[in-house]
Amino acid sequence: AHERLVLTFGLQDCALKAMAFVTKQDTGAKTVIKGFLTGGTQAALTYPTEYVKTQLQLQSKANPEFKGIMDCASKTIQQHGIKGLYRGAGVRIVGAGFQQMFRWGAYTNLVNIARDEKTGKLAPSMNVLCGLGAGICEAVCAVTPVETVKTRVTDDQRRGTGNYKGSADAIVKILKNEGPMGLYRGAFPTILKQGTNQAVRMPLQVQIFTMISMGDDTKKQNPFYNGAAGFLAGCGSVFLTQPQDCVKSRMQGEAAKELYKGTVDCAKQMMKNEGPASFFSGAIPRMVQVGMTSGISFALFPVISQLLNTVM
């Protein structure tokens, strides 16, 4: 009984901390650089799963083009080669760098503000709020425009309309024809999704890390433990954010302006015409993609932190 009590208090004490590897030194410009390098690396490794997820979300549930993940991947390779799975990857890789730059920059600096001055610890409720703030920051500053370009380019390939030569061409044409707000189509569901994502993922990663490491602080810089906890936290966050992600993808598609009056109208039409299942289209590939990206990000960030700390 005594051992269980000690373990319980140990876990609770660890749960009061922020990310196991986020310290008081992880603030300012250094964190921004770490976030950019982390995001760009993980995006380059996992982009094909992001591409397949988007294709499955964009297709009509009533008349689907693809039977599933493997069918989508194989048909894309048959029609466009391996490079087809990397359509829109350029903006995604750079965008992911900026996305995580804003995410980690916002999170670590908010954590530094929210820590208890006496103990240096972070209450679970404050960890949720710091995650929420980080998610909103990345949604406004990076995710919405990047996701819009990626979705428009991949949807253009799916439809075979040939409107864009690539990501850079899409950005130029969207800005020319629709102005800056053209890059912020679907902003509301994106902010909802990213805010919820990080509000769930950050504290969940802490809890999972605490459990699998048994509260051992010597493992706080271990990429395996952080990556495993990040993977599971990423998968868990998908359940709460998949509907927002599906609506976001529809709102950012090529024909969105003709099909929907706005975010609420899009959600209503999806429910009316395709049923509740339409809000969970692409859930499995997204779970794989989000789990992978989260796991890689949480594994890479402390490693990159250690490397940069030696030179900065």
Side-chain angles (χ1 to χ4, degrees):
H2 176 70
E3 291 176 352
R4 287 199 300 270
L5 187 62
V6 170
L7 177 60
T8 300
F9 277 106
L11 293 177
Q12 287 176 345
D13 182 63
C14 285
L16 289 172
K17 298 177 181 178
M19 296 291 103
F21 47 81
V22 172
T23 67
K24 291 182 179 180
Q25 286 73 43
D26 284 313
T27 56
K30 188 187 292 186
T31 300
V32 168
I33 297 171
K34 294 174 184 177
F36 185 85
L37 293 175
T38 299
T41 304
Q42 62 87 3
L45 293 172
T46 62
Y47 186 79
T49 60
E50 171 73 15
Y51 174 86
V52 171
K53 183 264 304 185
T54 303
Q55 293 293 295
L56 292 175
Q57 287 181 335
L58 288 170
Q59 70 177 354
S60 169
K61 199 73 177 177
N63 186 29
E65 298 173 55
F66 310 112
K67 297 176 182 177
I69 300 172
M70 296 307 297
D71 183 53
C72 177
S74 62
K75 285 182 178 178
T76 299
I77 293 171
Q78 287 174 9
Q79 295 172 12
H80 306 285
I82 292 292
K83 66 179 182 180
L85 292 174
Y86 283 88
R87 178 77 166 170
V91 70
R92 176 62 183 168
I93 291 170
V94 175
F98 282 107
Q99 175 184 343
Q100 295 217 31
M101 178 181 81
F102 285 110
R103 176 191 301 173
W104 288 109
Y107 178 76
T108 53
N109 284 284
L110 287 171
V111 163
N112 192 49
I113 294 170
R115 287 181 193 274
D116 185 287
E117 292 184 5
K118 295 180 180 179
T119 64
K121 296 176 181 178
L122 187 72
S125 59
M126 294 306 298
N127 201 3
V128 171
L129 290 176
C130 289
L132 178 64
I136 292 173
C137 182
E138 68 176 351
V140 174
C141 298
V143 178
T144 302
V146 167
E147 288 287 305
T148 296
V149 174
K150 180 212 70 178
T151 303
R152 296 281 286 270
V153 169
T154 57
D155 198 21
D156 178 56
Q157 176 172 284
R158 182 180 67 89
R159 292 168 175 269
T161 46
N163 291 329
Y164 310 120
K165 297 176 184 177
S167 299
D169 183 52
I171 293 172
V172 172
K173 288 181 177 177
I174 291 170
L175 288 173
K176 181 179 179 180
N177 298 327
E178 305 172 39
M181 291 308 296
L183 294 174
Y184 278 86
R185 190 187 296 174
F188 182 64
T190 303
I191 291 171
L192 281 179
K193 183 194 78 166
Q194 294 305 125
T196 306
N197 258 342
Q198 304 313 323
V200 172
R201 194 176 301 163
M202 294 299 192
L204 187 57
Q205 196 271 353
V206 173
Q207 297 295 333
I208 295 172
F209 176 88
T210 301
M211 288 189 288
I212 64 177
S213 68
M214 301 302 290
D216 184 353
D217 277 352
T218 63
K219 296 183 174 69
K220 65 181 181 180
Q221 295 287 344
N222 188 297
F224 174 78
Y225 282 93
N226 279 300
F231 175 83
L232 294 173
C235 290
S237 67
V238 168
F239 287 104
L240 295 175
T241 59
Q242 186 64 19
Q244 299 98 300
D245 193 59
C246 286
V247 173
K248 172 202 69 78
S249 290
R250 294 290 183 95
M251 285 296 296
Q252 293 173 336
E254 273 293 276
K257 291 181 72 174
E258 292 76 34
L259 294 174
Y260 313 117
K261 297 176 183 177
T263 302
V264 176
D265 180 58
C266 176
K268 285 182 177 178
Q269 287 197 43
M270 288 172 66
M271 176 64 78
K272 180 181 178 182
N273 301 327
E274 302 172 45
S278 63
F279 290 98
F280 290 89
S281 295
I284 294 176
R286 181 168 177 247
M287 187 176 294
V288 173
Q289 183 256 337
V290 170
M292 287 173 61
T293 56
S294 295
I296 292 171
S297 295
F298 281 108
L300 282 176
F301 190 83
V303 173
I304 292 173
S305 292
Q306 287 180 313
L307 291 174
L308 283 183
N309 286 339
T310 62
V311 297
M312 290 181 69

